[in-house]
C-alpha cells in the first residue's frame, strides 16, 4: 500500500508533522546519532515536544510510530 511507509507512520501523518529550520544559537541534538544539528538543518517537531532531524526522522518513521526519545506514540 503506497500510503504506508513500512510498519511506521503513514505518509499522510509524516507529511503533517511540523517542520522547521534550526535557528542560530538553538541546540538540537539528533537523538539517534547524538550529533548536534547545524543552523538551517530541517527538523520535525514531534507532538511530545522532541525535535528530530529530517533524514534520521525519515529513516526512523519507516519502521516506528513513536518518538525515538520518549516512545510517545506519534500515530496510533
Amino acid at each position: 500500500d503506497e500510503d504506508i511507509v513500512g510498519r511506521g507512520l503513514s505518509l499522510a501523518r509524516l507529511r503533517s508533522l511540523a517542520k522547521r529550520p534550526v535557528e542560530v544559537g538553538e541546540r538540537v541534538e539528533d537523538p539517534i546519532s547524538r550529533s548536534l544539528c547545524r543552523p538551517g538543518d530541517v527538523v520535525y517537531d514531534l507532538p511530545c515536544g522532541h525535535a528530530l532531524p529530517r533524514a534520521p526522522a525519515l529513516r526512523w518513521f519507516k519502521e516506528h510510530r513513536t518518538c525515538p526519545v520518549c516512545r510517545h506514540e506519534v500515530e496510533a
Side-chain angles (χ1 to χ4, degrees), residues 14-15 17 25 37-39 44 49 51 54-55 59 65 69-73 75:
L14 183 60
R15 289 179 181 141
L17 292 175
C37 296
R38 296 183 309 246
Y44 286 99
R54 186 178 183 278
R59 287 190 303 271
R65 294 174 183 236
V69 177
C70 67
R71 302 293 190 213
H72 177 83
E73 216 168 289
E75 180 177 271

Side-chain angles (χ1 to χ4, degrees), residues 12-60:
R13 180 63 178 123
L14 183 60
R15 289 179 181 141
S16 75
L17 292 175
K19 289 188 295 191
R20 65 176 176 84
V22 174
E23 300 290 328
V24 174
E26 181 181 15
R27 180 178 162 76
V28 177
E29 183 179 300
D30 175 352
I32 298 168
S33 71
R34 309 298 290 182
S35 62
L36 290 177
C37 296
R38 296 183 309 246
D41 286 351
V42 174
V43 295
Y44 286 99
D45 285 321
L46 303 181
C48 58
H50 291 109
L52 188 58
R54 186 178 183 278
L58 295 177
R59 287 190 303 271
W60 177 262

Side-chain angles (χ1 to χ4, degrees), residues 4-10 59-66 75-76:
I4 301 296
V5 180
R7 294 184 302 251
L9 292 184
S10 67
R59 287 190 303 271
W60 177 262
F61 288 128
K62 282 184 181 180
E63 297 295 326
H64 304 89
R65 294 174 183 236
T66 60
E75 180 177 271

